[in-house]
Amino acid sequence: MSFAADVNKKAIDLGRLSVEMTTAAGSGHPSTALSLTHLVTVLMYQQMRWDPKNPWNPGADRLVLSEGHAVPIVYAAYADLGGMVTPPGKTQDKSAARALTRQDVLSLRAIESPLDGHPHPQVGVPFFDAATGSLGQGLSVAAGLGSAARMDKIDRNIYCIIGDGESREGQIWEAMDYIADHALTNVVTIFNCNELAQSDWVSPQQSSETLARKAEAFGFITRIIDGHDPDQIAKAFNELHVIKNGNRPLAIVARTVKGWGASMEQGMGKHGTPVKKDQLPELFKELDQTARDLGVAEHQDQGRLKIRPITTQAPAHQTTAQKPIKAAAFAEGLAMVGLDKDLAAGKGIAPRKAYGAALVALGAADKRIVGLDADVKNSTHAEWFFKKFPDQYLECKIAEQNMISVAAGVSAAGKIPFCSTFAKFVERAYDQTAMAIISGANLKITGSHAGVTLAADGPSQMSLPDVAFFRSFCHVKNFNGQPAVRYFFPADAVSCYKLTELMANLDGCCYQRTLRADVKALYKPEETFEVGGYKVLREGKDLVFVSAGYMVHECLRAADELAKNGRKATVIDAYSLPLNAKGILEIASRNGNQIVTVEDNYTGGLDAEIATANSTESAGIKLKNLFVAHIPKSGREPQDVLDYLNLGYKSIVKAVG
Amino acid sequence: MSFAADVNKKAIDLGRLSVEMTTAAGSGHPSTALSLTHLVTVLMYQQMRWDPKNPWNPGADRLVLSEGHAVPIVYAAYADLGGMVTPPGKTQDKSAARALTRQDVLSLRAIESPLDGHPHPQVGVPFFDAATGSLGQGLSVAAGLGSAARMDKIDRNIYCIIGDGESREGQIWEAMDYIADHALTNVVTIFNCNELAQSDWVSPQQSSETLARKAEAFGFITRIIDGHDPDQIAKAFNELHVIKNGNRPLAIVARTVKGWGASMEQGMGKHGTPVKKDQLPELFKELDQTARDLGVAEHQDQGRLKIRPITTQAPAHQTTAQKPIKAAAFAEGLAMVGLDKDLAAGKGIAPRKAYGAALVALGAADKRIVGLDADVKNSTHAEWFFKKFPDQYLECKIAEQNMISVAAGVSAAGKIPFCSTFAKFVERAYDQTAMAIISGANLKITGSHAGVTLAADGPSQMSLPDVAFFRSFCHVKNFNGQPAVRYFFPADAVSCYKLTELMANLDGCCYQRTLRADVKALYKPEETFEVGGYKVLREGKDLVFVSAGYMVHECLRAADELAKNGRKATVIDAYSLPLNAKGILEIASRNGNQIVTVEDNYTGGLDAEIATANSTESAGIKLKNLFVAHIPKSGREPQDVLDYLNLGYKSIVKAVG
C-alpha cells in the first residue's frame, strides 16, 4: 500500500503543479498532463534509471514524450526532482546549468524560459532527446535510441508515451513494425488512452481495446492496465526484465482519465485550455478531495519512490572527444566497393555510386557512422555499407517517416546517421526532418535519383520542390550558430565522395541530392569542396551559367554549342547552399553581366539564391532562370525529358538567344 | 472450370504483353506485373462495372493501383479491351480520345506515349484517378472516392491494390482506420503479397499472415486467398454484396508470386528489371509451359469473362455544367456563424474564423463543397461547416497524410475538397500534396496557425518552410495551363473570406495560410482579390514594405514609427503567389527604389519572388529581406516571439535604418 500511496500523493502534487504552470502561462494542456500523473510518477521516480543532476548521461534510460503537449507533467516532476536546465540554446553547456525549481515552472512558455510549450531539447531541458508536438513521431525516435543502445551493447531502456488520438498517425505503426523487426525489447511503448482528442472523442479505432488488438497484431506483448493504478503500472514495468530477454517488445495500453483528479477538467472541450486563475481554488479543492478519496490527504511520503541508479557505462564515443572523420582517398574508397575498374577505364560514375563508396570509407574510418535506408539500398548504393558493416546498418523498409525519426534518435545517442532513399521519397518525411532539425539532430540525408533525369519512371519518382524546401532552412541559424541545413548537389563522383565526407564532419542536418545516371568526371581526386562553395569549370566573357548536378553537364554542352557561334560562356558548378553568391556575382560582373541559372527542379533553388544576393547587394546582374516549369511525364531517356521540359542543352542555347 | 480456364488463359496473355512492353521500354517492373495477372484479369474483365469506351463515366467502379509500378499489367488489359486514351495533357478531351491497341503498349514510357511509367491520369489514361508510385497513398485515394460515392448515394465500388512491401507505409493504416471509421464497405482493399520488395524479401511484419492479422485488428473482414486461383479470387469478390450491407469493410490478402508463370522472373534481384530482348523467347517458352501446366494451352476463350455493366446513375454535378460558386456577402457569411456581433462591434476577427464562415457560405451555395479536417476543426474553424453540413464533412482524425489523399479521391469524384489543419501539420503531407498535384486534383488546403504568431506552443506547431515549398509549385504549369499551386496568405478577415471563395472557383491546388490571432480589418467588405494580386495599403515615398499575413500589421506599425521621424513608407499586402511582382517593382521605383520584404516564415517566399522578378526584369530595386532567420522557441505573446526573431515592428524600423 505504501508504494501506491506514495505514488498517489506525488501524482496529485505533480498534477497540481502542472495545472498551476499552465494557468501562469495562459496556455497549455493541463487536462492531458493530468491523465499522465501516475505514469510519469512511476516512470520518473521509480522505473527509469537516470540522474536529475546529470541528465546528459548517455547511459541513462530515456523518456520520449511523443505526446508533446503533455509536457507540463514532466516539467513538474523534473522541477520537483531538481533536474538540471540550461539557458535557451546552451543545452550542452554543463557549466551554464542549474537545478530547476518548483517556482521556475511558472515561467512555462515565456520567451526567456527553458520550458517551452512542447519538448524542445535545444532550449534548456537536456532530459529530452527530441522536439515533439507534431504528433506520431516519438516512437520512431525512441526506436532510434533503442537501436543505438543495441549497437553500443549498453543496457538502456527507452520509454515512449503516445496519446491514443495520436496513434492514428501512421508513423506510429511504421515504428511498431520497425521495433518488432529489430526485436527492440529495450523500447517500451506506452499508449495513454484518455479517450479524448482535441476536437472530439477518439474513434473506436483508437480505443484501448482496439489499440491492444493492433499492438498484438504487430507482434507486441501487450498489457492493458489502469493508468492511474500505481500497482498495475509497476507490475507492467516489472515484466520488462523478462520481456527484454525475448524477441517481442512490450506495449502498455494504459486506460487513463483526461483531467484526472478534477472533474472540472474532464470531458469534452477541455483540450489545450488552461484553468482560469480564479478557478484554481476550486480545482485545488477537487484535487484535495481526490487525495482524501485515495486516502493520501494526510499521507507522509514513505520514501518508497527512489530513482534507480544508472547501471551501464556510456559508450566511449559519447564520453571522449572525437577526431574529425577522415575517409580513405577517392580511388581507395572506390576500390573498396569494386569501382576501381570503372575508374581506371575512365568510365562515367554515378554520384549515387560515389555516395555508396564514401559511406563505406566513412564506416571504415569511424564506428559512429550508421547507415539507414528504406528498401532502396540497391538503388541508393547504401547496400555496400550494409554488406560491409551490417551491425552499423538499420534497414527501415518502405517507411520514410520512421527512417528519418529513427535517425534523429540514433543521432541523440551520439552517432552520425546517414539516411538514403529516392529524393522524392524524402519528401514523405519533411515534417520529421523539420522536427529533427528543431531537435538539433546530426542528421545526414541523401536523396538519390534527384531531379528529372531518372526519366522513364515519371514524376512520381522525381524530386522537384526539394531544393526550395531545403534551401529555406539554409538561411536559418540553428542554436549552434550554423545553418539549420547544409545542402549539396554534386555533379560528379569526386565531388559526391568528398561532400559525403564533409557531411560526416559537419554538426547538424545536411541534405544531399545524388544522380541516378553515370556522369563524366569533372574533378580530379585531390579537388576540395566546402559549404557554400562553387567551382568555375570554364570561364567565358559573354555570360555565366550557374547550375548544379546533372544540369552542369548540360550547361557544358550548351557552352560548347554557343562556342560554335563565337559566344563564350562561363560555367559554374554551384554545388552547395547557402551559397557564397557574392563571388559568383563578381564573376558575372566581368563576364557579360548576365547569369543564367539552370536547374532540374522547381523554382526556389539556385535561382532564388542568386536573385536574392543580386538584389540585396544591388549587383545589377541580369538574370535568367531555367527550371522545371511544367509537370513532367515519363520519357525513355534523360534527354527526352529534358527536351520536353525545355531544359536540354539545345533549349538552353535557345533560351540565351 | 471454364471460368478459371478463361482467366488463366487471359492472365498468361496479359502477362506476356506486360513483359513485352517493359522490354520495349527498357525499364519497368515486369515481375510485379506478373504477380497481378489473375487479380487484374478478374477485376477488369469480370468484377468491375465499367466501360472501356467511356472510362470517364462517373458511375463506374474504379481501380486505384496504389502499387503504381505494377501498371504494365493494367495497361495490357486496358489495351486488350480497347480502353480509350487521350494525348498527354488532354485527358478530359473526349474528342481527342482513341482506343488503345495492343501494339500501342510497346510505346510504354516514351515521351510521346500516354502510357507513363506509373499511373499518371493527366497524361492520357482516364481509367486512373490518381498518380501513384510514391507508395502507400492509393488506399486513401480509394477511400476518398468511396466517401464521395456515399455522399452521392451511388453504388460504386472502389478496388485498391496495395503491395505487401508498400503496406509498411503508415498511411495505409491511416486509410484502414478511416475506412473502418466511415464503414466504407464500397472500398475493397487488396494486398498483393508476393513476398518480395525492391532490395530484399519483405519483413515478417508484412507477411500475408501478419497483414491479415493487422487487417482484422483494424476491423476489416479479412480473407486470405491464392491470388493466382481464379475461383478463390471470384469467391472473395462474390462476398462483397453481402459485406456491403454491413459495417465492416473487406480486405483481401492475396498470396501471389512475383514473376508468376516464368521462373526466370522469380526470386531476388528481379525488381524493376525488364527482360532483355534476347531472353524474351525463353520467357515466352516458360509462359507457354505454364499454360500447358494449367491445361489452357489450347483453350479457346469461352466468353465467360464479361465486363459487368454500370448499374448506377452518375451524380448530376458530374454530368451537367456547373456554375461559378457564389458565396454570401461577407457580413451575411459572418452572420451565418454568429460573428456578426464581433463585426458590428468592430472587433478584430481572426482569418481562421473568416475561413470557417466562408466555408459555411460556400457549402450553402454548392453541394460539391466537402470539408475535411484532422481533429483540429475547433481551431481551424472547419467545425462550423461540420455542424451545418455534417453530410458534406469528412473527419480524418490525426492523420494528415490520409486526409490529403482522401481529398484527392473526393476531387476525382467531381467534388471540391477543402482540407484544413495547422499549417505545420500540412507539412506531414507534402508528398501526398505533390502527388495530388500530379494527379490534377482540385484540392484546397488551408493551414491555420501559420507562421510564428501562435507563439506559446513553440516551433513544433509553427509552419516555417511552407511558403518556400508551395511557392516552388506556383511557377510550374499544370496540364491545364494554370499554376500547379495558387498560394494565398490573407492579412484580415475580409481578404480571407474572399480568397476562400476564390479558391472554390479555381481549378487545381490552392494553399492558404490562416492566422490564429484576431487581427484588425484592413479591407472593406466590397474589396476584391485575385490570383497574383496585391494591395497598396499606404503609399510613402521613401521605401516599400512588401509583406503578407500578420506581418502586414507589423509593417503598418513600423511605418507609423518611421513616420514619427519623417520617413514615409509604402506598405503592400502581397497576399498571393505567383505574384504580379512587376507592378510592385514599378511602385518601388517611384518610392525610394527600395523594397523590404517582411515575412514570418523561413526564406524562399515573398523575398525570392520579388528578388527573382527584380533580377530578371533588371529593375534595379535595392532589396532587404526580413524573415525567420533562426529557430524559434515559445513566447507567451506574439510580440515576444517576433522580438526574439528580430521581426517585431521595432526590429523592422531598426533594420531599415
Side-chain angles (χ1 to χ4, degrees), chain A residues 81-410:
Chain A
L81 292 163
M84 300 302 278
V85 291
T86 58
K90 299 194 167 180
T91 320
Q92 292 313 312
D93 182 359
K94 296 184 192 181
S95 70
R98 63 174 180 85
L100 192 71
T101 68
R102 290 175 62 105
Q103 187 58 31
D104 281 335
V105 299
L106 299 180
S107 75
L108 176 73
R109 295 178 167 228
I111 197 74
E112 69 284 357
S113 173
L115 305 180
D116 239 47
H118 293 74
H120 188 344
Q122 290 200 86
V123 304
V125 183
F127 181 72
F128 289 120
D129 290 299
T132 53
S134 182
L135 292 171
Q137 303 184 16
L139 188 59
S140 303
V141 177
L145 285 159
S147 288
R150 279 285 164 82
M151 286 180 183
D152 291 334
K153 300 190 173 51
I154 61 174
D155 176 24
R156 187 184 200 195
N157 297 331
I158 322 295
Y159 299 89
C160 180
I161 298 176
I162 302 162
D164 48 0
E166 174 187 14
S167 73
R168 185 86 168 205
E169 292 283 9
Q171 188 182 348
I172 295 292
W173 304 98
E174 295 178 1
M176 299 284 277
D177 270 346
Y178 176 92
I179 291 167
D181 255 355
H182 293 254
L184 294 178
T185 51
N186 55 355
V187 175
V188 181
T189 304
I190 304 165
F191 291 102
N192 174 26
C193 296
N194 63 30
E195 298 187 347
L196 275 161
Q198 174 175 322
S199 78
D200 204 347
W201 296 91
V202 301
S203 148
Q205 294 293 114
Q206 277 70 51
S207 72
S208 54
E209 294 79 10
T210 309
L211 284 176
R213 266 204 308 277
K214 290 177 178 178
E216 285 279 353
F218 276 71
F220 281 58
I221 294 172
T222 305
R223 299 285 177 260
I224 300 185
I225 63 166
D226 175 348
H228 296 295
D229 181 329
D231 293 320
Q232 286 194 33
I233 299 171
K235 189 178 159 212
F237 287 136
N238 281 341
E239 286 191 82
L240 186 58
H241 72 281
V242 181
I243 286 173
K244 279 176 74 176
N245 295 327
N247 288 316
R248 293 176 63 204
L250 173 65
I252 297 173
V253 177
R255 290 184 175 131
T256 63
V257 177
K258 199 158 176 172
W260 178 85
S263 64
M264 60 186 277
E265 275 298 288
Q266 294 169 9
M268 278 282 287
K270 298 293 179 180
H271 181 94
T273 313
V275 177
K276 293 208 174 67
K277 205 164 183 180
D278 59 8
Q279 294 179 323
L280 273 183
E282 190 189 334
L283 182 125
F284 291 159
K285 237 168 74 183
E286 283 209 66
L287 283 175
D288 290 343
Q289 182 58 46
T290 300
R292 281 192 293 276
D293 294 346
L294 289 168
V296 296
E298 309 299 324
H299 175 75
Q300 294 299 315
D301 192 303
Q302 303 194 357
R304 287 294 186 97
L305 294 179
K306 275 206 190 108
I307 298 178
R308 295 183 197 193
I310 297 163
T311 55
T312 197
Q313 284 292 321
H317 70 81
Q318 288 270 62
T319 51
T320 55
Q322 298 291 302
K323 287 183 204 151
I325 306 172
K326 183 101 194 69
F330 177 68
E332 201 184 318
L334 262 59
M336 285 181 181
V337 297
L339 285 175
D340 40 343
K341 275 168 237 146
D342 288 1
L343 189 63
K347 281 191 189 165
I349 294 173
R352 61 179 171 139
K353 292 179 190 164
Y355 170 74
L359 203 56
V360 167
L362 289 167
D366 198 304
K367 287 284 162 205
R368 286 175 298 164
I369 304 291
V370 175
L372 302 94
D373 197 280
D375 189 40
V376 289
K377 56 183 178 293
N378 54 338
S379 289
T380 60
H381 288 289
E383 191 168 50
W384 291 329
F385 182 89
F386 159 65
K387 285 183 174 163
K388 298 253 179 188
F389 308 103
D391 297 342
Q392 284 167 249
Y393 177 82
L394 300 169
E395 176 56 54
C396 296
K397 304 288 180 182
I398 308 175
E400 298 76 14
Q401 300 184 101
N402 179 64
M403 175 173 71
I404 296 295
S405 301
V406 163
V410 166

Side-chain angles (χ1 to χ4, degrees), chain A residues 5 61 63 293 414 569:
Chain A
D61 290 345
L63 172 62
D293 294 346

